[in-house]
Amino acid sequence: TLATTADTAPYLRLTTLSEFDGRVWEPDRGDLQSLSDGFGADEWGEDIETTDQNTSIRVIRMSSSWLPVPYPATSVQGITAGWRVSTENRTITSRTADAVGNDYTVRSLEVAPTLEQIRAIPAAEPIVDPDAEPVDLPAVIAETAAEVTTDATNDYDRLIDLQSWFRSQFAYSLDTPVDEGFDGTGADAVAQFLEVRSGYCIHFAGAFALMAESLDMEVRIVVGYLPGVRTDNTRGDESVYSVSSDQLHSWPEVLFPGVGWVPFEPTASLGVPTAFAAGSTTGGGSGGSTPTAPSAAPSAEQSSGPVIEREDAGDNAGANGELRRLDPTPVMLTTLGVLVALLLPALIRLAIRVARR
């Protein structure tokens, strides 16, 4: 559960994945430092408006070596020294402690550039490791990215075009990747996903990330949780939200120097798409207010929880823009496999088939 001073619940992150070897995305393993040393230098400039937010989180039933936190976190109170901060992605992890039972408060920011500001900033270029083996990607990934973004004149608009294309032209489905035999995170699976145009969050996030990288942008995938469901409980003037495994999710982020890591939500029918407003520091789109960072909250209507069960919606429900309830089983299996970099796609398919039976 969480209680927040924000108008609506934030996305929560566990960790990030930046390295792709052609088969899986590897979790980031940057340097760790003590909580007393803070979360590192600001990634946003003084000309970017920010708003302070406090989120109190209680982990009831989740065993994990990561603590869920809003982004960008700037300080945390209520946890032991066994937890360490990764300044690379502003996450909290431990080699000895467990997330279950922790009750803590995170101070974070809503980073809100104007549309004019974000359009004027080119995305950071990918960091190339000269010692790493080059990854040979199917040509369809770069070709499709170029085709979808051909009318855009800046990096932010290119990413918005990609986000809109995925959300309008693809369908959310748990069954299609298994039935079509591409239920993995590898480059070939992404190519088939682009052809079939149906899958779940890890396929959307992975395809978006590789396409953005083909456009010379530094990108990573976040593993965490969609905004929770508002409960009837309150804590003072704060609303209390419930977050369950149903909200387990992954989404891509792109680095904009002077702003920080900006999230995007390509998964059809889930989450809240990113859209910055012109001449304002409040995120907004044609459908109303939207978050400009995982720490920024979605609209109250969208954070009240998906409303369509998968069994009732059918595979093509995502095309009409309605929200559906996220079945956590395949997402949990795939995400866990990515995090530990051990599960092969075949094992993931087997596990999902077993779960379905």
Side-chain angles (χ1 to χ4, degrees):
T1 62
L2 66 86
T4 180
T5 57
D7 293 335
T8 48
Y11 279 64
L12 299 176
R13 70 180 48 213
L14 295 173
T15 190
T16 59
L17 318 164
S18 297
E19 299 297 327
F20 182 67
D21 64 4
R23 185 177 58 88
V24 296
W25 288 85
E26 298 281 356
D28 295 321
R29 297 184 178 89
D31 294 335
L32 302 178
Q33 63 185 33
S34 67
L35 295 169
S36 60
D37 291 331
F39 283 78
D42 293 349
E43 300 154 359
W44 47 93
E46 294 182 356
D47 59 329
I48 304 299
E49 183 168 324
T50 61
T51 304
D52 287 333
Q53 297 179 338
N54 285 316
T55 306
S56 297
I57 300 171
R58 183 184 180 192
V59 183
I60 302 172
R61 289 182 298 273
M62 182 192 74
S63 180
S64 171
S65 59
W66 290 277
L67 286 178
V69 293
Y71 179 83
T74 57
S75 66
V76 61
Q77 295 179 331
I79 58 176
T80 66
W83 293 96
R84 310 275 288 177
V85 171
S86 171
T87 58
E88 183 176 307
N89 55 13
R90 293 180 178 266
T91 60
I92 302 175
T93 186
S94 176
R95 295 184 177 91
T96 58
D98 195 316
V100 67
N102 277 273
D103 193 340
Y104 52 99
T105 299
V106 182
R107 180 179 177 271
S108 62
L109 297 176
E110 177 183 353
V111 181
T114 64
L115 180 61
E116 292 82 1
Q117 286 176 318
I118 194 71
R119 278 177 167 169
I121 302 173
E125 296 183 359
I127 298 176
V128 179
D129 183 356
D131 298 325
E133 289 289 333
V135 178
D136 187 20
L137 298 178
V140 66
I141 295 175
E143 292 170 356
T144 305
E147 179 181 350
V148 171
T149 63
T150 186
D151 295 330
T153 59
N154 60 80
D155 284 347
Y156 173 74
D157 284 349
R158 291 184 183 94
L159 294 166
I160 291 299
D161 286 349
L162 281 179
Q163 176 180 259
S164 300
W165 180 69
F166 277 112
R167 293 185 68 87
S168 63
Q169 301 298 318
F170 285 65
Y172 182 88
S173 172
L174 303 173
D175 298 327
T176 301
V178 179
D179 295 340
E180 298 291 335
F182 65 90
D183 193 19
T185 59
D188 291 338
V190 169
Q192 191 168 352
F193 168 68
L194 293 177
E195 178 182 352
V196 176
R197 299 194 177 189
S198 181
Y200 51 89
C201 67
I202 193 64
H203 303 104
F204 284 91
F208 186 104
L210 291 182
M211 292 171 76
E213 195 167 58
S214 76
L215 298 172
D216 294 325
M217 304 182 195
E218 185 174 352
V219 65
R220 67 188 182 189
I221 293 176
V222 185
V223 177
Y225 291 90
L226 290 163
V229 178
R230 190 193 300 268
T231 70
D232 294 331
N233 299 324
T234 59
R235 197 182 72 169
D237 58 355
E238 297 176 337
S239 298
V240 176
Y241 296 82
S242 174
V243 182
S244 72
S245 59
D246 285 4
Q247 281 84 43
L248 189 65
H249 192 49
S250 61
W251 62 93
E253 289 182 329
V254 177
L255 180 60
F256 282 81
V259 176
W261 288 93
V262 176
F264 294 87
E265 183 57 273
T267 303
S269 78
L270 289 178
V272 185
T274 293
F276 292 95
S280 169
T281 54
T282 301
S286 60
S289 179
T290 59
T292 58
S295 61
S299 67
E301 291 79 8
Q302 287 163 310
S303 66
S304 62
V307 296
I308 299 178
E309 294 288 346
R310 180 173 71 91
E311 292 80 5
D312 299 330
D315 281 351
N316 295 322
N320 61 18
E322 294 179 300
L323 295 177
R324 77 178 77 232
R325 186 170 181 81
L326 175 61
D327 185 335
T329 305
V331 185
M332 291 175 67
L333 291 171
T334 303
T335 302
L336 180 60
V338 173
L339 291 179
V340 301
L342 291 176
L343 293 180
L344 297 175
L347 293 179
I348 299 173
R349 291 196 297 271
L350 176 61
I352 294 174
R353 289 192 180 100
V354 171
R356 291 172 62 193
R357 286 198 293 267

